[in-house]
Amino acid sequence: MAMLITSIRDYVQLKGRAPLQDIARHFQLPESATEQMLCFWIKKGVIKLIAQDQPLPCQANQCRSCTSCGLTSQLEYVWA
């Protein structure tokens, strides 16, 4: 477990910033488990959680520009 949590820290450091979905997919982990490990690093002050205010594509692929889905920001983990 210690090696995995360190690998997640190193991944965010290498990328500079990454959304939760990308990190979880890279390590083949559930997002909830990945989020808990990222929270450890947030508490240490190594990683920050930020919201990117930009329109996101419709997750249901039912429209070209989302206006009713409420997807207006994306959470990203950033190397501090």
Side-chain angles (χ1 to χ4, degrees), residues 8-9 12 38 41-42 45-49 77-80:
I8 288 174
R9 179 204 62 198
V12 175
L38 287 161
W41 293 117
I42 290 170
V46 176
I47 292 175
K48 293 181 182 178
L49 179 61
Y77 292 88
V78 179
W79 183 252

Side-chain angles (χ1 to χ4, degrees), residues 68-79:
S68 62
C69 296
L71 297 173
T72 56
S73 66
Q74 179 177 359
L75 298 177
E76 287 190 323
Y77 292 88
V78 179
W79 183 252

